Amino acid sequence: MNNTTPASQTQPLEDESKYAASARNFRQNVARDLANDELRSNFRGAMDYLIDKRQSAFSDQDELETLRRQCQLIKQRCLVKLPLLLEQLEQQLTSNGIKVHWAETITQANEIIASIIESKQGKTVVKGKSMVSEETALNDHLEQRDIECLESDMGEYIVQLAHEHPSHIIMPAIHQNKRQVADLFAKNIEGFEHTTDVDALIQQGRKVLREKFCHADVGVSGVNFAVAQTGTLCLVENEGNGRMCTTVPDLHIAITGIEKVVESLNDVPPLLSLLTRSATGQAISTYFNMISHPRQTGEKDGPKEVHLVLLDNGRSQMYSDPELRQTLQCIRCGACMNHCPVYTRIGGHAYGTVYPGPIGKMVSPHMLGLEATTNLPTASSLCGACGEVCPVKIPIPKILLRLREESVKPVGDIPLIMKGQGSGRKPIEASVWKAWAAVHQSPTLYALSMWAVTRARAILPQKLGPWTQARTAPKVAAQTLHERVKLRNSQKQESGNE
Amino acid sequence: MNNARANILSKLHASIGDVDYEKLPQESSYAYASRSRQQQLAHFISQLESNHTQVIKTAASDIPTHISQQLKQRDISRLLYGKETHFSSLIEQVKDNDQQGNNSVQSSIDLVAYDFTIDGNKERLFNEMPASVTTSHSAIAATGTIVLWPTPQEPRTLSLVPPVHFVIVDAKQLFARFEQLINTQQWHNKLPTNIVLVSGPSKTADIQQTLAYGAHGPKELIVLLINSDEI
């Protein structure tokens, strides 16, 4: 790729995630998706459904708040101990027979996974749902190396057939309705008998995918919790595809972000309870799969080799600042997006990133840099719904404000916290605020400017860019408050003198 | 091969610095109201049933009869099971039992023991095994959950691949909550290759939030609950 490609074009820069380019197009994406009525109604319906489900799973406010506080503290403890826990996890997994790999970038992670697969002459991969593998765009990478990688979660399978990426982290195909899925199957599955009956559609998918599970060389999965104490990989799922991917093929490769490690087995039950209830309103998922070893002597099934890839990709940057570190508390339940008025309206693809919605606006700037994502933290009304439903109490609106600040910080004279810091800084905007600050620090300048503005009210512009697209421009008063109070006092005095 | 490990760990160590772990805030868990054993059992059953699971209360000795009946209702004539378990001799009666109750035709239930490794037998496992039966390790009342603890006798795929899964659950092994189970049995001391918590048949709502069963794993989960009168 051409190194001189300017950032404003839609081609990703060298060694950059393809999502950086689509995130730069945020405004165009939003305009495109807001104009799509079917898409908007699919999202509205889905979000109402998920909000309702969550609500009914938390009937006891007291329990909910106690659990949220407990899980917040669990995650914060695990983060404070993160480097130690990662080392402990590695040691335990290794002694259990599971091989551990570390990757700083998505390119490294993809390279590690591809090499493991190639070393076993693997040709076909079935993948359980893993957002981290979406983050690395693993499918694209494996395809380039002539390895077939098939998504096996029903939603992910649909999204893959459509050559899209997930629009929601829990329900990847939420942007499609059953008619659209039926059309997609008709185009892609041989012998598909056209139907919009959901049961029949799922059975079609099941047929195709079971065939794949039966013959795949490799299973790839994500991880929900990695337990340092015991060296255990925990997976939460409903469909059973996760169990298939981690049990049937000879080789299982799990990939996860470094923040998924928890200290002990005791940390798991409260986190699991909040995760499934916040995500889909289920008391527990259909399956909770705990993997601690590859196949041991005498056992009749299970992969002969298990690998875990631990990915950084911007997480150590989040970790470097105490406020931003809270981002890593996230357990990926999706409740913040379900409750977000912006996400509900623009949908998951408009963000252009792997993780959409409030959580996406917090993590993507670290993964892709603030330059590519400078608009994302501003796509929030700061209504606070996300923070209120967050099971681990991440102060999402506060972190979004912080990211806005980071993106307009002057570059150069302050320590660099984030990649792309200050890239949203515009000279005009910066000087306007500088002037504003100066005026408000000097009583004389303030009085003078107020006098000028009130006298110029008739000639102030009526069109103020996007602000006046749906509003009338604010009208400045004829006199300043100071003048009116002064006038009133003098009138009082006069009437008192009479 | 790579410096990734050292780089990541050194960045994390540098960011967090020295921390006094003693000073971390106190974590407290919610005190759930305690339920009687009967209440726990009732809750367990109702949770499972609301998750599309059939629960049959039975005496252990009647397990073969129930399995035969359920198989016959579904027109299934083959059952995969694990040898040398606590219940294997009972399960082996499924065949006899069926012969007794079905005198006009010869035995119609083909009982297959999972005594082979999966290598080279995947096709057979995926295409020729319509039902299976397993034992269970324990159960959790709060969430209506059955804990499977696969062994060489009862491999992981035994409860996963066949479309109908019978599972024998002992009410005496019912625990109130997951955390209680982990602590009582000191799970952290030694974990097996795999543990699976199962709370219903395989399902998905990935197409337009419409619930459909039998996404990839078993379409039906049938619980044979023993000792439910004795607690």
Side-chain angles (χ1 to χ4, degrees):
Chain A
M1 187 158 299
N2 188 350
N3 275 337
T4 55
T5 307
S8 59
Q9 289 188 10
T10 53
Q11 288 297 309
L13 304 177
E14 192 174 14
D15 214 22
E16 185 180 69
S17 160
K18 63 176 179 179
Y19 295 104
S22 47
R24 283 189 193 102
N25 289 339
F26 178 66
R27 284 177 183 276
Q28 293 92 302
N29 301 346
V30 169
R32 177 197 65 207
D33 290 350
L34 278 178
N36 184 339
D37 287 342
E38 189 170 31
L39 187 77
R40 292 184 63 171
S41 116
N42 292 352
F43 272 100
R44 180 80 260 175
M47 296 306 106
D48 287 346
Y49 166 84
L50 287 167
I51 289 173
D52 222 43
K53 294 282 277 179
R54 177 187 172 275
Q55 181 95 29
S56 58
F58 292 116
S59 49
D60 182 348
Q61 271 300 306
D62 212 28
E63 185 216 0
L64 171 60
E65 288 314 315
T66 312
L67 261 179
R68 285 179 76 213
R69 176 70 180 149
Q70 183 191 8
C71 288
Q72 177 194 29
L73 292 178
I74 289 175
K75 286 297 287 190
Q76 288 181 345
R77 163 169 47 81
C78 295
L79 286 172
V80 162
K81 299 183 179 179
L82 184 62
L84 300 178
L85 294 184
L86 285 169
E87 287 174 282
Q88 190 191 353
L89 176 72
E90 180 184 42
Q91 193 201 331
Q92 280 301 328
L93 285 170
T94 309
S95 75
N96 291 356
I98 296 175
K99 298 196 175 97
V100 180
H101 310 262
W102 303 69
E104 286 186 272
T105 62
I106 58 173
T107 317
Q108 279 177 15
N110 287 338
E111 184 54 44
I112 291 169
I113 293 175
S115 314
I116 301 170
I117 296 172
E118 283 167 356
S119 75
K120 299 279 158 193
Q121 284 85 45
K123 278 282 155 212
T124 52
V125 177
V126 280
K127 202 170 99 189
K129 192 170 160 30
S130 154
M131 287 308 295
V132 178
S133 74
E134 294 288 344
E135 203 179 307
T136 70
L138 179 66
N139 295 0
D140 297 351
H141 186 82
L142 293 183
E143 198 182 327
Q144 280 168 19
R145 295 176 68 151
D146 217 16
I147 300 169
E148 180 198 281
C149 187
L150 191 77
E151 294 288 350
S152 65
D153 171 270
M154 284 294 175
E156 293 272 358
Y157 174 63
I158 292 166
V159 164
Q160 189 180 30
L161 285 183
H163 303 288
E164 293 178 325
H165 69 270
S167 59
H168 189 281
I169 63 169
I170 302 294
M171 309 191 100
I174 210 160
H175 55 287
Q176 300 222 7
N177 57 38
K178 56 188 178 186
R179 187 189 53 71
Q180 293 167 312
V181 174
D183 292 346
L184 192 64
F185 278 14
K187 252 187 255 162
N188 291 282
I189 300 178
E190 238 174 89
F192 172 71
E193 290 167 29
H194 206 282
T195 173
T196 53
D197 177 69
V198 172
D199 268 316
L201 287 170
I202 294 293
Q203 290 315 308
Q204 291 278 351
R206 174 184 172 102
K207 217 170 104 191
V208 174
L209 289 165
R210 275 176 78 94
E211 188 60 26
K212 296 288 180 180
F213 291 130
C214 184
H215 296 106
D217 304 315
V218 187
V220 170
S221 78
V223 175
N224 291 94
F225 312 111
V227 186
Q229 179 190 31
T230 54
T232 303
L233 309 177
C234 303
L235 276 79
V236 176
E237 59 147 345
N238 284 320
E239 296 186 0
N241 66 308
R243 289 179 69 193
M244 290 281 186
C245 293
T246 58
T247 312
V248 179
D250 269 354
L251 173 62
H252 168 209
I253 304 169
I255 177 168
T256 196
I258 52 174
E259 82 283 14
K260 291 283 175 68
V261 61
V262 297
E263 186 168 11
S264 76
L265 223 44
N266 283 322
D267 294 331
V268 171
L271 287 169
L272 174 63
S273 172
L274 267 192
L275 172 59
T276 60
R277 291 201 277 172
S278 301
T280 53
Q282 291 173 270
I284 190 169
S285 51
T286 299
Y287 302 118
F288 184 64
N289 190 356
M290 306 172 79
I291 298 162
S292 304
H293 300 265
R295 189 193 303 190
Q296 299 187 74
T297 318
E299 291 176 345
K300 299 196 182 78
D301 62 5
K304 291 168 183 162
E305 268 186 39
V306 180
H307 297 255
L308 173 70
V309 180
L310 291 165
L311 176 67
D312 182 337
N313 191 29
R315 289 166 175 83
S316 57
Q317 178 179 288
M318 302 178 210
Y319 194 77
S320 67
D321 178 273
E323 186 177 38
L324 299 172
R325 188 178 303 146
Q326 297 173 92
T327 312
L328 295 168
Q329 286 165 219
C330 178
I331 54 174
R332 304 284 191 268
C333 71
C336 60
M337 55 192 75
N338 300 344
H339 291 76
C340 177
V342 176
Y343 176 89
T344 306
R345 282 161 183 80
I346 68 174
H349 285 153
Y351 296 85
T353 51
V354 171
Y355 302 93
I359 177 62
K361 291 184 275 196
M362 287 195 300
V363 299
S364 307
H366 297 278
M367 293 172 176
L368 307 171
L370 263 172
E371 178 273 314
T373 57
T374 187
N375 280 321
L376 294 185
T378 68
S380 166
S381 66
L382 300 175
C383 74
C386 49
E388 274 177 40
V389 296
C390 177
V392 286
K393 293 171 84 92
I394 302 174
I396 302 174
K398 236 176 120 185
I399 290 181
L400 292 178
L401 280 174
R402 170 68 189 278
L403 292 171
R404 291 179 186 185
E405 203 183 306
E406 293 300 328
S407 91
V408 296
K409 264 186 181 170
V411 193
D413 49 349
I414 47 161
L416 191 73
I417 297 170
M418 292 186 63
K419 186 179 154 201
Q421 185 175 308
S423 54
R425 190 175 175 87
K426 298 186 192 86
I428 293 183
E429 193 180 40
S431 5
V432 166
W433 286 113
K434 231 178 223 164
W436 186 88
V439 165
H440 283 75
Q441 280 165 25
S442 147
T444 324
L445 270 180
Y446 180 79
L448 194 69
S449 66
M450 285 300 117
W451 181 88
V453 168
T454 46
R455 268 49 184 191
R457 63 195 290 254
I459 56 163
L460 287 176
Q462 292 303 299
K463 293 230 181 294
L464 300 172
W467 180 262
T468 45
Q469 269 172 16
R471 304 177 189 84
T472 51
K475 206 163 169 81
V476 180
Q479 289 167 311
T480 69
L481 183 63
H482 277 124
E483 287 173 325
R484 292 183 59 184
V485 171
K486 218 182 238 168
L487 186 70
R488 189 154 156 259
N489 285 348
S490 66
Q491 281 169 349
K492 256 192 203 161
Q493 245 170 16
E494 273 171 35
S495 59
N497 287 344
E498 276 170 14
Chain B
M1 137 218 163
N2 78 42
N3 299 319
R5 181 184 187 278
N7 291 347
I8 293 171
L9 287 174
S10 73
K11 271 194 253 178
L12 298 180
H13 276 297
S15 298
I16 200 74
D18 287 327
V19 186
D20 185 353
Y21 299 133
E22 301 301 314
K23 287 197 179 136
L24 289 172
Q26 183 70 35
E27 295 166 25
S28 52
S29 50
Y30 183 72
Y32 290 92
S34 68
R35 288 183 165 130
S36 72
R37 295 287 290 165
Q38 276 84 2
Q39 285 170 326
Q40 284 177 29
L41 189 67
H43 188 74
F44 172 69
I45 294 169
S46 81
Q47 285 286 103
L48 274 172
E49 286 176 342
S50 69
N51 279 323
H52 211 70
T53 302
Q54 189 179 348
V55 181
I56 301 171
K57 289 185 192 174
T58 173
S61 55
D62 289 335
I63 287 176
T65 318
H66 284 296
I67 295 181
S68 300
Q69 280 173 358
Q70 295 293 328
L71 288 176
K72 207 170 288 173
Q73 278 174 24
R74 289 166 180 77
D75 236 350
I76 292 175
S77 58
R78 186 173 292 150
L79 180 69
L80 188 64
Y81 80 111
K83 271 184 173 172
E84 290 159 32
T85 69
H86 194 57
F87 292 96
S88 53
S89 54
L90 262 174
I91 293 165
E92 278 153 7
Q93 289 173 27
V94 169
K95 205 171 175 175
D96 304 339
N97 197 283
D98 189 68
Q99 272 168 331
Q100 282 162 19
N102 189 357
N103 35 25
S104 62
V105 202
Q106 279 192 323
S107 164
S108 55
I109 306 250
D110 174 17
L111 205 55
V112 180
Y114 201 139
D115 54 6
F116 47 86
T117 70
I118 193 172
D119 314 313
N121 284 302
K122 287 183 189 175
E123 295 265 7
R124 188 176 162 211
L125 186 66
F126 272 80
N127 301 323
E128 295 170 25
M129 301 297 161
S132 69
V133 56
T134 70
T135 64
S136 63
H137 172 269
S138 47
I140 301 164
T143 47
T145 299
I146 295 149
V147 180
L148 301 179
W149 192 290
T151 57
Q153 289 72 40
E154 294 186 314
R156 296 160 70 173
T157 43
L158 178 60
S159 61
L160 173 63
V161 178
V164 177
H165 175 210
F166 292 91
V167 58
I168 301 169
V169 176
D170 185 346
K172 287 181 179 166
Q173 293 302 318
L174 183 68
F175 289 78
R177 307 189 58 80
F178 188 23
E179 48 270 38
Q180 191 200 356
L181 171 62
I182 288 176
N183 284 318
T184 311
Q185 302 190 338
Q186 301 278 295
W187 276 19
H188 60 269
N189 285 335
K190 186 151 177 54
L191 285 175
T193 301
N194 178 235
I195 294 175
V196 192
L197 273 55
V198 176
S199 306
S202 157
K203 68 178 178 188
T204 183
D206 271 355
I207 302 180
Q208 212 176 326
Q209 307 92 54
T210 309
L211 205 52
Y213 292 93
H216 300 287
K219 297 177 186 181
E220 288 188 80
L221 178 66
I222 301 165
V223 173
L224 300 158
L225 184 64
I226 61 168
N227 291 328
S228 60
D229 299 333
E230 289 179 34
I231 63 165

